[in-house]
Amino acid sequence: ETGVTQSPTHLIKTRGQQVTLRCSSQSGHNTVSWYQQALGQGPQFIFQYYREEENGRGNFPPRFSGLQFPNYSSELNVNALELDDSALYLCASSLGLERVKGSPLHFGNGTRLTVT
Amino acid sequence: AQSVTQLGSHVSVSEGALVLLRCNYSSSVPPYLFWYVQYPNQGLQLLLKYTSAATLVKGINGFEAEFKKSETSFHLTKPSAHMSDAAEYFCAVSPSGSARQLTFGSGTQLTVLP
């Protein structure tokens, strides 16, 4: 069973730039969620994708956007980077929304983004 | 709306001692509750989950947690700490019947002393 994989593992960007982070879901999982974890904090929900559509969004501005592809992999895009965007970005996959209630999230190891 | 409060951002125990990590939740609907562990430079690993079945939930690595509705608590315990338990632990809540977003607490860093 292949777990959740994220790339790249580390990234350094300059304020104002754009970044794309990638995630491959665990085998058999069709729901992908993205979380932002600032240093010393718990993860915060950005958004979730199910069947290639956004299905819930946290308190993040529109410059945070995402995609889910037919193979259930996903991308997180952040435009106009700000210093406060520096964080660990975690991708998590799970089984379908309705099929398995309480289906736990399976997390990747994250992408460490540093904005200078 | 849901929220989670983890009391104690840092907890230290001696190897072999009881581990108790506290979590209190607030939820407008019956909650699902989770404990995750995070080792340095890694993602989160599920320890255990409560989904309205048995109130005492057993997880991996000898951890367990008890759901107490009257106290709105879901504390994590382990009878005997091991050095390998040193990590950050997160409690999380989601609305029951939903696989939507988790709301995490701010975490508790567990240190195990030799």
Side-chain angles (χ1 to χ4, degrees):
Chain A
E1 177 178 272
T2 305
V4 178
T5 57
Q6 294 186 242
S7 62
T9 56
H10 294 82
L11 202 52
I12 300 175
K13 289 287 190 178
T14 302
R15 189 172 51 185
Q17 287 187 315
Q18 177 267 341
V19 69
T20 298
L21 310 182
R22 295 179 174 83
C23 171
S24 293
S25 303
Q26 181 164 319
S27 177
H29 287 182
N30 58 10
T31 302
V32 174
S33 305
W34 286 91
Y35 286 78
Q36 180 196 65
Q37 186 179 17
L39 199 61
Q41 303 291 322
Q44 285 198 305
F45 175 73
I46 303 175
F47 43 56
Q48 182 180 74
Y49 278 81
Y50 174 63
R51 292 183 176 176
E52 303 176 51
E53 291 192 2
E54 187 178 292
N55 185 60
R57 188 179 184 92
N59 189 27
F60 281 82
R63 59 189 185 84
F64 285 78
S65 63
L67 284 172
Q68 187 182 30
F69 300 100
N71 66 355
Y72 306 132
S73 65
S74 177
E75 288 183 353
L76 165 65
N77 299 288
V78 186
N79 294 322
L81 284 166
E82 301 178 358
L83 296 180
D84 285 347
D85 295 334
S86 295
L88 180 68
Y89 287 85
L90 295 165
C91 171
S93 70
S94 60
L95 291 171
L97 294 179
E98 304 305 324
R99 192 154 60 93
V100 181
K101 294 183 177 181
S103 174
L105 298 181
H106 295 258
F107 285 85
N109 287 339
T111 294
R112 175 73 63 187
L113 173 64
T114 302
V115 182
T116 62
Chain B
Q2 303 84 39
S3 66
V4 171
T5 301
Q6 291 185 241
L7 297 176
S9 58
H10 291 82
V11 170
S12 293
V13 298
S14 297
E15 190 174 18
L18 171 72
V19 175
L20 171 61
L21 304 183
R22 300 179 185 274
C23 172
N24 287 90
Y25 70 90
S26 171
S27 179
S28 56
V29 297
Y32 282 2
L33 294 159
F34 305 81
W35 275 99
Y36 282 86
V37 61
Q38 186 176 35
Y39 297 99
N41 301 314
Q42 292 189 22
L44 282 73
Q45 180 184 6
L46 179 69
L47 280 177
L48 49 81
K49 66 176 183 178
Y50 166 77
T51 57
S52 75
T55 57
L56 182 62
V57 181
K58 294 188 183 298
I60 63 171
N61 300 339
F63 284 94
E64 64 181 36
E66 186 173 7
F67 173 70
K68 292 186 176 181
K69 184 178 179 180
S70 61
E71 299 177 8
T72 60
S73 69
F74 191 57
H75 302 330
L76 182 70
T77 60
K78 181 174 180 178
S80 177
H82 192 273
M83 297 297 289
S84 61
D85 295 327
E88 184 133 31
Y89 291 80
F90 292 95
C91 182
V93 62
S94 75
S96 64
S98 169
R100 289 180 180 246
Q101 69 215 57
L102 293 181
T103 299
F104 285 87
S106 56
T108 297
Q109 181 68 47
L110 176 66
T111 300
V112 182
L113 305 170

